[in-house]
């Protein structure tokens, strides 16, 4: 937010992002592995690398053996893999694991990827609460909650009650996301026109207090990120984007025993990431956070320390998070208006890197040198934060 300069002596991991890309987005009628292939080959081309250079692979969402299946599909035999399933935060976790693997000499070039064809395949379902064999099910299943929507709605209801906020305040998050999407030709809602607070409030109620406009899109799509050592990155095609810090927390599998629905694990994950980077939240120029629902954004901003508890919905008013506002947030339009292929975390990283490389055209944040990407998975269950920076 203050144009913090990243220099050679900046704390960091010694690892950099050297390539990023999306697959085709929206309604693609493509298989998952086809979308994965698009994202991967485009990201490698962005980096000036080839599949033969990849010796580390992290992915999920394909099958029980996602990394194995993708490696076989690509015709590579990686020395290091990770297919941790943590929902939307997995990809920020993968960046941390990849940085550790590269520094430890387990791999030289790591590919992180994800894709889904959920819209074309009509595979998205709101059914299925916590697994029937888990002890939490007996307390939640009788109420037939929509998964994950009703859980986030419960957090939103509690937040509005506890802090005296309104649905009108919450709607500003969706309105701002649309404004950013209108600057991004790849956004699913690019041609849809502006969204108003009244539009959000008037859209169909799905799980009180959240309407359809408070909920993320259901689209096909995916993305890929290529990482290598900072030393090697300097010889590649694009400006290296340094991985400065990372942190994570895993909290709850259900909401039965959650003490405070308005307090998330992002508090700890972001504190660790910023400390590792040697930065404070005021040093961050661009913030990309998981916006599965509007309430997810509010809770995350408070957890990151952007504002105090219960202050987020006042803080974001008056255009503060819209284009040209004081806090560049979800600058591609986010999961609410750009793309949401079931797990959105990898696309947070893609946008953060592009902002730091100055590649975002009309939505570019001038002079951006630092970025924070934060993924949230499950029902506010997993939380992972990555801090990125560029030396201009």
């Amino acid at each position: 937010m203050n144009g913090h300069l990243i220099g050679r002596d900046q704390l960091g991991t010694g690892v950099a992002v050297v390539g990023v890309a999306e697959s085709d987005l929206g309604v693609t009628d493509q298989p998952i592995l086809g979308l994965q292939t698009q994202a991967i080959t485009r990201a490698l081309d962005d980096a000036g690398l080839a599949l033969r250079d990849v010796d580390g692979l992290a992915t999920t969402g394909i099958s029980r053996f996602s990394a194995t299946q993708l490696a076989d599909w690509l015709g590579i035999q990686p020395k290091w893999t990770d297919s941790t399933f943590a929902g939307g935060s997995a990809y920020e976790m993968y960046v941390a694991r990849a940085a550790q693997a590269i520094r430890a000499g387990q791999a030289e070039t790591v590919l992180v990827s994800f894709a889904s064809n959920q819209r074309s395949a009509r595979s998205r379902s709101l059914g299925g609460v916590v697994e029937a064999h888990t002890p939490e099910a007996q307390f939640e299943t009788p109420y037939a909650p929509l998964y994950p929507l009703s859980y986030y709605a419960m957090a939103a209801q509690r937040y509005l009650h506890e802090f005296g906020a309104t649905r009108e305040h919450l709607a500003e998050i969706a309105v701002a996301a649309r404004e950013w999407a209108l600057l991004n030709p790849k956004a699913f809602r690019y041609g849809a026109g502006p969204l108003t607070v009244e539009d959000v409030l008037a859209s169909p109620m799905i799980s009180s207090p959240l309407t359809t406009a408070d909920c993320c899109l259901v689209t096909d799509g995916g993305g890929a990120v290529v990482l290598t050592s900072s030393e090697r990155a300097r010889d590649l095609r694009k400006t290296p984007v340094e991985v400065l810090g990372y942190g994570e927390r895993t909290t709850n599998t259900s909401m039965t025993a959650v003490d405070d629905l308005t307090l998330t694990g992002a508090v700890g994950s972001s504190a660790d990431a910023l400390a590792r980077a040697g930065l404070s939240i005021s040093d961050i120029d661009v913030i990309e956070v998981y916006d599965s629902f509007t309430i997810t954004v509010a809770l995350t901003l408070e957890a990151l320390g952007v504002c105090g508890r219960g202050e987020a919905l006042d803080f974001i008013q008056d255009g503060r998070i819209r284009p040209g506002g004081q806090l560049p947030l979800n600058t591609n339009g986010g999961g609410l208006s750009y793309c949401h292929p079931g797990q959105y975390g990898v696309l947070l990283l893609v946008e953060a890197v592009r902002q730091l490389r100055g590649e975002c055209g009309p939505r570019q944040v001038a002079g951006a040198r630092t970025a924070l990407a934060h993924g949230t998975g499950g029902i506010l269950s997993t939380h992972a934060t990555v801090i990125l920076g560029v030396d201009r």
Side-chain angles (χ1 to χ4, degrees):
M1 300 172 205
N2 62 4
H4 191 89
L5 180 63
I6 299 299
R8 296 294 183 195
D9 58 347
Q10 179 66 43
L11 294 174
T13 63
V15 171
V17 178
V18 294
V20 296
E22 301 129 317
S23 69
D24 291 351
L25 308 174
V27 183
T28 66
D29 295 316
Q30 295 289 320
I32 290 173
L33 286 171
L35 293 172
Q36 281 263 19
T37 302
Q38 289 178 351
I40 288 165
T41 54
R42 292 170 187 176
L44 288 170
D45 181 67
D46 187 56
L49 296 170
L51 270 174
R52 62 178 176 272
D53 298 307
V54 176
D55 57 0
L57 182 64
T59 191
T60 189
I62 301 172
S63 67
R64 289 179 60 201
F65 297 92
S66 289
T68 305
Q69 187 171 351
L70 184 58
D72 193 25
W73 173 259
L74 297 173
I76 62 175
Q77 296 184 358
K79 298 190 293 185
W80 175 91
T81 64
D82 193 346
S83 55
T84 300
F85 183 80
S89 65
Y91 311 91
E92 285 67 38
M93 292 181 180
Y94 290 157
V95 168
R97 310 282 199 277
Q100 294 159 2
I102 291 167
R103 292 201 62 166
Q106 290 180 281
E108 186 175 17
T109 303
V110 174
L111 180 65
V112 174
S113 68
F114 172 78
S116 166
N117 63 352
Q118 62 170 3
R119 190 178 184 98
S120 294
R122 299 182 180 272
S123 61
R124 182 70 175 178
S125 171
L126 288 174
V129 291
V130 291
E131 297 290 341
H133 61 270
T134 63
E136 297 86 2
Q138 63 183 309
F139 302 111
E140 299 182 3
T141 302
Y143 298 96
L146 302 175
Y147 189 93
L149 172 54
S150 294
Y151 295 84
Y152 283 86
M154 186 161 56
Q157 195 77 277
R158 180 61 196 177
Y159 185 96
L160 298 182
H161 170 77
E162 183 168 345
F163 299 114
T166 67
R167 289 178 56 216
E168 287 84 354
H169 291 122
L170 190 62
E172 172 62 20
I173 294 168
V175 172
R178 179 66 60 83
E179 292 297 314
W180 284 107
L182 296 178
L183 301 176
N184 182 4
K186 293 184 178 180
F188 192 75
R189 299 296 191 198
Y190 174 65
L195 186 71
T196 67
V197 169
E198 291 72 24
D199 292 334
V200 177
L201 298 181
S203 62
M205 183 67 69
I206 307 298
S207 189
S208 180
L210 302 181
T211 69
T212 55
D214 287 294
C215 302
C216 64
L217 300 166
V218 176
T219 67
D220 299 352
V225 175
V226 184
L227 301 102
T228 191
S229 68
S230 299
E231 182 177 3
R232 186 181 184 215
R234 295 183 191 117
D235 297 325
L236 297 179
R237 179 172 290 170
K238 294 290 185 73
T239 300
V241 174
E242 302 285 335
V243 178
L244 300 178
Y246 48 78
E248 68 180 72
R249 289 292 189 279
T250 297
T251 51
N252 54 284
T253 188
S254 76
M255 288 190 170
T256 300
V258 176
D259 291 330
D260 188 340
L261 296 176
T262 68
L263 186 63
T264 78
V267 173
S269 70
S270 61
D272 288 352
L274 288 164
R276 187 170 271 111
L279 299 173
S280 67
I281 193 64
S282 63
D283 295 318
I284 303 300
D285 297 320
V286 180
I287 297 179
E288 310 290 345
V289 303
Y290 208 112
D291 56 344
S292 47
F293 305 94
T294 48
I295 187 60
T296 318
V297 177
L299 296 177
T300 304
L301 287 177
E302 294 179 9
L304 298 180
V306 170
C307 55
R309 290 198 64 197
E311 297 177 358
L313 297 187
D314 285 331
F315 176 85
I316 64 171
Q317 301 304 311
D318 301 319
R320 181 170 269 169
I321 60 172
R322 297 189 192 188
Q326 296 171 277
L327 179 66
L329 177 74
N330 294 353
T331 51
N332 57 6
L336 290 167
S337 275
Y338 154 66
C339 176
H340 194 286
Q343 296 180 46
Y344 177 64
V346 71
L347 294 170
L348 298 169
L349 296 163
V350 171
E351 176 68 6
V353 168
R354 286 178 172 162
Q355 284 286 346
L356 296 181
R357 297 195 310 201
E359 298 174 345
C360 292
R363 69 180 192 279
Q364 178 63 46
V365 177
R369 294 180 175 89
T370 55
L372 180 151
H374 179 83
T376 304
I379 47 175
L380 299 169
S381 307
T382 64
H383 316 265
T385 312
V386 170
I387 310 296
L388 301 170
V390 68
D391 181 3
R392 294 188 182 274

